[in-house]
Amino acid sequence: MSGPVLAFIEHAGGEPDRLSLEALAFARSLVTKLGAALEAVVLGSGVEGVAGQLGAHGVGAAHVATDARLDDFAPAAWGAAIRTIVAARAPAAVVVAGSERGNEVLAHVAARLGLPMAANVIEVTPGNSWRLVRQRWAGSLLEDAALDAPIRLLSVAPHAVAAAPTAATSVPTISTFAPELEPADLVARVVRREPKASAGVSLADAKVVVGGGRGVGSAAGFANLEALAKELGGAVGGSRVVTSLGWRPHSDQIGQTGLRIAPDLYIACGISGAIQHIVGCKAAKRILAINTDPDSPIMAVADYAVIGDLGAVVPAITAEIERRRAPA
Amino acid sequence: MNILVCVKRVPQTGGRIVLTADGQAIDTKFLGHTISPHEECGVEEAVQIVEKEGGSSAVLTLGPAEAEEQLRDAMAIGIDRAILLETTGGEWDPVSTAGAIAETVEAQEAAHGHFDLLFFGNEAADTGDYQIGVRVAVALGRPVINGIKDIWFTDDRHAVLARREAPGGGWETYELPLPVVLGVKEGLNLPRYPSVPGRLRAKKKEVERVALGSSPSGALGLGAGEDSAGLGGAVPGPTKLLLRLPQEERSAAEVIGRGAEAAPAVVDMLERIGVLAR
């Protein structure tokens, strides 16, 4: 008889986070394999509404800690609250979203319980020894691994599974619990927030992104990319080379150590296609590569290509759009 | 400020990953190695803080003998000394790695005085385990926060202020009393390139070597042996069995044209996929 699978649910504005719902979908397939129950843990004041929505995602019982000390992010305290429920429920596994916060909180749980943790898992097969597949290099490489522990701590790689609700909708049993927090758990907590600077369409949200690599040649060379992005109502980003050279600020970096974008169209200009960059842009619906080298690795992930010097091609595209838009 | 930066040696993968025949590692015959990107920023930050505030800096890595190269790179841009926890026989799992680092920090502090700051990368570029810094902090009983892209101090220098990006945009700031562990991210600063005099100086600096041998969790990691010192009874893992490349769904790119003459065909495509409509 297996203990339940416990899913940790992040939330904002009274709604569960999308990545947490993906983690729930992952956990649902795990409980089917185990023949176990699916339970959730939700933290913060007034989260009963969030917990109530989880029935549609297969959760039978939700444990909520309506403790105001957990309202804002405090990773050690969130981890302690999860450990309180782990002690009470003896789960077979704890599943979290492979978000920045999810991985960080699970690391606290793992460290305090003295258990291994597998980050960014995409598949799991329970057994005497659990087998799992996890992402390395932000998904450019996969690792088959074994996990031998009484409680399996897993984070689910973003977008590895879809966040689909179940057919049968039910209302989960909601029970409140008092997390066992020590003063040390509350040392690392947010003391100040600064809102997002709202200036035009952000790189993360843009429908069209024009990206530049070493082939752009200089910081000034980005003027051509800016002009094309303006015509398309898009945003400009760059590869790691470009931010490391100081041609663009780091916040414009698309890649493993920068932003992961998912626009309708990504126009890769003078970008060779290092895997560091590809993992940041491969979620784009379509990729147009503009490059002098028809054999560059970017061509393997691009849908469309123009072979040529971006210094000539990009302004020509901008001019063509302007020409078609001009009144006849 | 006395600072220890923990770094990892990783391959410079470039455009395509090729695995060794046994599927246990990336084939690095034709690749160079580097410090994992987040940790490069940790190294730069440590150098900048010591330049400004005084104190000393050290760099530590757990890895093969060849990882001395990355320690010399860190010293070439201004880190004072280095510690190599030398392993044999492949990767260590994250639990064993963190156990060995925590023990080493205690030994280093007993010998050289305490570290105000311990820097880790938010996650290593290769394994992406997202846990080493937190495990070390918990073992040492110090506060820890990840994702840091900005670091400054209170006027009395008793606490550090650390800022990271909030989910959905904006920033959140943490204030933590020293000593503290920070998981840092690229964007914290722009790491400098080592100068030739810097490289020459680095050659003369000390690298303290500690022979760790092979992973205490054993070749297949099936439970910790009696000699799993430093794990404090923790269960090691996960255990790597095999590496493989994901299946790619995209087919080869359709070449629309060459040079500026391709512009009308490109704009036709933009209209067709609906990104030009306003």
Side-chain angles (χ1 to χ4, degrees):
Chain A
M1 190 60 195
S2 163
V5 171
L6 187 66
F8 172 62
I9 306 301
E10 295 177 63
H11 55 91
E15 299 291 328
D17 278 0
R18 188 190 145 154
L19 293 184
S20 288
L21 294 181
E22 291 179 5
L24 265 184
F26 179 93
R28 245 183 3 250
S29 72
L30 176 56
V31 296
T32 308
K33 292 173 193 168
L34 283 171
L38 178 55
E39 302 184 3
V41 55
V42 196
L43 307 177
S45 344
V47 297
E48 290 87 347
V50 175
Q53 294 177 47
L54 302 177
H57 294 269
V59 172
H63 309 277
V64 303
T66 56
D67 186 322
R69 293 175 297 173
L70 302 172
D71 285 358
D72 210 342
F73 187 54
W78 286 18
I82 293 171
R83 281 189 288 118
T84 303
I85 286 299
V86 166
R89 301 296 300 141
V94 178
V95 175
V96 310
S99 60
E100 287 292 335
R101 288 180 168 189
N103 279 323
E104 187 170 5
V105 169
L106 194 64
H108 278 270
V109 174
R112 291 294 299 270
L113 293 179
L115 291 176
M117 155 184 168
N120 294 317
V121 174
I122 61 170
E123 277 176 47
V124 63
T125 310
N128 280 338
S129 166
W130 284 29
R131 290 289 186 270
L132 52 88
V133 183
R134 60 177 298 269
Q135 293 183 343
R136 289 190 173 205
W137 292 97
S140 305
L141 186 61
L142 299 178
E143 172 190 355
D144 292 333
L147 187 60
D148 300 282
I151 303 168
R152 295 81 181 178
L153 305 177
L154 312 172
S155 79
V156 182
H159 316 307
V161 274
T166 56
T169 309
S170 64
V171 178
T173 314
I174 297 176
S175 52
T176 55
F177 72 99
E180 288 154 31
L181 303 184
E182 296 159 22
D185 295 328
L186 291 157
V187 171
R189 60 187 314 182
V190 179
V191 294
R192 192 167 78 234
R193 289 198 165 280
E194 292 153 75
K196 176 160 66 175
S198 56
V201 58
S202 77
L203 193 53
D205 301 328
K207 294 283 180 211
V208 179
V209 172
V210 184
R214 192 190 291 276
V216 176
S218 66
F222 274 88
N224 285 334
L225 277 60
E226 296 278 4
L228 177 57
K230 189 156 174 262
E231 284 298 334
L232 296 168
V236 172
S239 67
R240 180 160 185 259
V241 172
V242 156
T243 57
S244 295
L245 288 167
W247 295 353
R248 302 290 296 187
H250 185 272
S251 52
D252 283 358
Q253 189 193 109
I254 297 160
Q256 185 175 341
T257 50
L259 272 175
R260 318 253 167 103
I261 56 166
D264 290 343
L265 176 67
Y266 178 56
I267 306 179
C269 307
I271 288 177
S272 66
I275 64 158
Q276 145 82 18
H277 185 72
I278 298 300
V279 298
C281 69
K282 68 179 177 187
K285 278 204 195 101
R286 292 183 182 83
I287 297 175
L288 163 64
I290 301 172
N291 206 297
T292 50
D293 178 7
D295 297 320
S296 59
I298 189 77
M299 296 302 172
V301 294
D303 302 276
Y304 307 105
V306 174
I307 311 303
D309 177 8
L310 69 98
V313 177
V314 173
I317 297 170
T318 308
E320 177 66 14
I321 295 169
E322 283 171 350
R323 193 188 65 75
R324 293 194 194 185
R325 282 197 175 134
Chain B
M1 293 289 163
N2 294 324
I3 309 174
L4 176 68
V5 191
C6 296
V7 305
K8 188 169 187 189
R9 169 186 166 94
V10 299
Q12 271 172 323
T13 50
R16 199 167 143 253
I17 291 179
V18 178
L19 295 174
T20 55
D22 64 2
Q24 290 299 307
I26 291 178
D27 187 343
T28 54
K29 267 203 297 289
F30 305 108
L31 298 180
H33 287 79
T34 181
I35 296 174
S36 177
H38 295 317
E39 291 109 274
E40 275 189 322
C41 295
V43 169
E44 173 65 34
E45 194 72 7
V47 172
Q48 286 185 19
I49 291 172
V50 170
E51 281 170 354
K52 218 178 295 166
E53 305 281 336
S56 72
S57 59
V59 60
L60 177 152
T61 196
L62 181 148
E66 294 80 10
E68 179 180 341
E69 183 193 347
Q70 280 61 50
L71 298 176
R72 298 273 173 213
D73 285 350
M75 291 193 291
I77 75 159
I79 296 284
D80 298 318
R81 63 189 180 94
I83 305 129
L84 172 59
L85 304 182
E86 196 177 322
T87 62
T88 54
E91 280 178 9
W92 279 37
D93 70 271
V95 177
S96 306
T97 300
I101 293 173
E103 271 201 340
T104 305
V105 170
E106 284 177 338
Q108 288 289 320
E109 291 189 327
H112 300 274
H114 77 283
F115 296 112
D116 301 292
L117 294 161
L118 258 55
F119 289 160
F120 287 83
N122 194 69
E123 85 282 358
D126 57 349
T127 51
D129 290 312
Y130 288 86
Q131 55 192 275
I132 303 295
V134 171
R135 286 189 188 276
V136 171
V138 167
L140 298 172
R142 292 177 200 183
V144 54
I145 192 76
N146 280 347
I148 296 308
K149 288 192 166 183
D150 231 338
I151 294 169
W152 67 105
F153 299 97
T154 54
D155 290 342
D156 65 8
R157 299 296 187 269
H158 289 163
V160 65
L161 290 145
R163 197 168 80 135
R164 74 186 213 175
E165 281 169 301
W171 295 89
E172 50 193 35
T173 300
Y174 297 80
E175 185 176 333
L176 301 164
L178 300 173
V180 66
V181 179
L182 298 177
V184 302
K185 277 186 108 164
E186 194 177 81
L188 176 65
N189 51 46
L190 198 53
R192 71 193 78 177
Y193 290 101
S195 63
V196 173
R199 288 210 176 276
L200 293 174
R201 274 196 301 276
K203 277 191 179 166
K204 295 183 193 134
K205 289 181 183 173
E206 176 203 0
V207 174
E208 188 180 334
R209 289 166 177 275
V210 181
L212 289 186
S214 58
S215 168
S217 56
L220 278 172
L222 303 175
E226 281 106 45
D227 58 346
S228 56
L231 298 190
V235 182
T239 306
K240 176 187 72 182
L241 301 175
L242 194 69
L243 301 178
R244 54 196 169 87
L245 295 168
Q247 304 285 327
E248 290 297 344
E249 308 104 41
R250 288 188 200 257
S251 51
E254 171 198 333
V255 177
I256 295 181
R258 292 177 176 270
E261 297 75 48
V266 170
V267 180
D268 289 347
M269 180 273 288
L270 298 179
E271 286 180 340
R272 205 164 61 239
I273 68 172
V275 297
L276 213 51
R278 254 190 205 170

